[in-house]
Amino acid sequence: QVRLVESGGGSAETGGSLRLSCKVSGYSLDDGCLAWFRQAPGTEREGVALMDREGRTSYAYSVKGRFAVSKDNDKMTLYLQMDNLLPEDTAMYLCAAKVFSCPATAAIMTPRDFLYSGQGTQVTVSS
């Protein structure tokens, strides 16, 4: 059974940093595509970042240069380092996984592309 559990969310001030973690079980981090999504109240879930099995990454334009996705296969964990946070980054952040290939870019990926997803961790950025 595949399970994804996010942690590391919390509150930060504008310009601050947070690192999110996604602990994965029942799934190899090299099997396919890993991604982060976020959803603010009243909005649709949007793609933030993805990493394919070769380690290629892609980011949404709104976070490019500020966020970085990485993984630790030994710890079975996916990370999202978020720097220079802005109030508009406030959202529930969720990790997701799918087998085989990734969507071409984070900008076009949708939650329907991914079979597995966690429950999310809340990030709140104050101005």
Side-chain angles (χ1 to χ4, degrees):
Q1 181 179 359
V2 178
R3 190 164 182 239
L4 291 78
V5 180
E6 301 91 340
S7 62
S11 298
E13 294 184 348
T14 296
S17 298
L18 287 171
R19 188 176 80 155
L20 307 183
S21 299
C22 174
K23 179 73 172 178
V24 180
S25 58
Y27 178 90
S28 170
L29 298 191
D30 290 331
D31 273 351
C33 183
L34 302 165
W36 287 96
F37 287 86
R38 67 185 181 185
Q39 188 168 19
T43 69
E44 293 188 355
R45 194 168 296 184
E46 65 169 341
V48 174
L50 63 79
M51 174 179 280
D52 68 12
R53 66 180 78 184
E54 287 81 29
R56 179 186 67 93
T57 58
S58 175
Y59 298 92
Y61 179 80
S62 59
V63 307
K64 200 168 186 177
R66 301 188 297 119
F67 290 11
V69 60
S70 62
K71 64 180 179 178
D72 185 327
N73 285 10
D74 291 338
K75 295 182 178 179
M76 295 292 291
T77 302
L78 179 72
Y79 300 101
L80 184 67
Q81 177 67 41
M82 306 187 296
D83 297 322
N84 194 18
L85 284 163
L86 303 171
E88 49 263 46
D89 295 320
T90 295
M92 180 72 74
Y93 284 73
L94 307 96
C95 61
K98 68 183 292 290
V99 296
F100 305 123
S101 61
C102 279
T105 68
I108 65 170
M109 68 181 184
T110 70
R112 290 191 303 273
D113 296 326
F114 292 82
L115 182 60
Y116 308 110
S117 179
Q119 295 298 308
T121 185
Q122 178 68 36
V123 171
T124 303
V125 184
S126 59
S127 56

